Amino acid sequence: MQELLTVIAQGLVDDPTAVKVTADEPNEDGTIVYHISVAEADMGRIIGKQGRIAKAIRTIARSAAIRYDQKIMVEID
């Protein structure tokens, strides 16, 4: 899942070397939280107008997680 989020984020930003995706340990209900960090200048590219790109990234990640019977959340830092 980390690789998927990394590839998606690197394709959207100007500085792909600054993209970092980290995962927290699963919490009590089994949800894994993934954090995407990008350069400050690329933050708008990841979030998109009215959060549409961020919402699309979360949708894709949740769809992929269903295939592996996981619950996930994606946060953009």
Side-chain angles (χ1 to χ4, degrees), residues 14 38-45:
D14 287 333
V38 296
E40 190 68 32
D42 290 326
M43 193 60 84
R45 291 179 174 268

Side-chain angles (χ1 to χ4, degrees), residues 9-75:
Q10 286 177 342
L12 293 170
V13 299
D14 287 333
D15 185 11
T17 59
V19 173
K20 292 180 186 152
V21 177
T22 58
D24 292 345
E25 292 296 319
N27 59 13
E28 55 275 349
D29 65 342
T31 303
I32 302 170
V33 179
Y34 289 94
H35 299 274
I36 301 175
S37 300
V38 296
E40 190 68 32
D42 290 326
M43 193 60 84
R45 291 179 174 268
I46 287 290
I47 295 172
K49 288 186 179 180
Q50 298 179 355
R52 289 183 183 158
I53 294 175
K55 185 176 179 182
I57 292 170
R58 289 181 180 116
T59 302
I60 292 169
R62 273 194 235 112
S63 298
I66 289 171
R67 297 183 80 180
Y68 300 106
D69 292 329
Q70 295 178 347
K71 286 180 162 182
I72 67 162
M73 284 179 43
V74 178
E75 292 185 1

